[in-house]
Amino acid sequence: MDNATIVEDFDLTMMLYQILTIAIMILGVFIIAVTIKKVWRFLDKATEYFDNKNNSDE
């Protein structure tokens, strides 16, 4: 096994790590987006609920 083969293997490994890192980042962004969407929907329902509650008191 000469030095060239080791360098090629190293490049391939680095490329796989980069792909993995990008995939994890995309997944993270997706999870954050879904979480924000759920929180937003919950806040929307909570606001609606409190608005109705305040209106029914008057």
Side-chain angles (χ1 to χ4, degrees):
M1 197 175 203
D2 57 350
N3 287 341
T5 314
I6 293 166
V7 170
E8 281 173 21
D9 285 349
F10 183 71
D11 284 347
L12 186 67
T13 309
M14 289 304 289
M15 199 173 77
L16 287 173
Y17 273 124
Q18 281 183 324
I19 291 166
L20 197 66
T21 306
I22 292 164
I24 289 167
M25 282 169 66
I26 291 167
L27 194 68
V29 168
F30 180 73
I31 290 166
I32 289 165
V34 169
T35 306
I36 288 169
K37 200 173 176 185
K38 283 185 178 180
V39 169
W40 196 264
R41 192 176 295 156
F42 171 76
L43 287 175
D44 216 30
K45 283 182 179 177
T47 312
E48 203 176 289
Y49 171 76
F50 283 118
D51 284 349
N52 291 341
K53 200 174 181 185
N54 290 342
N55 291 342
S56 64
D57 287 347
E58 290 171 1

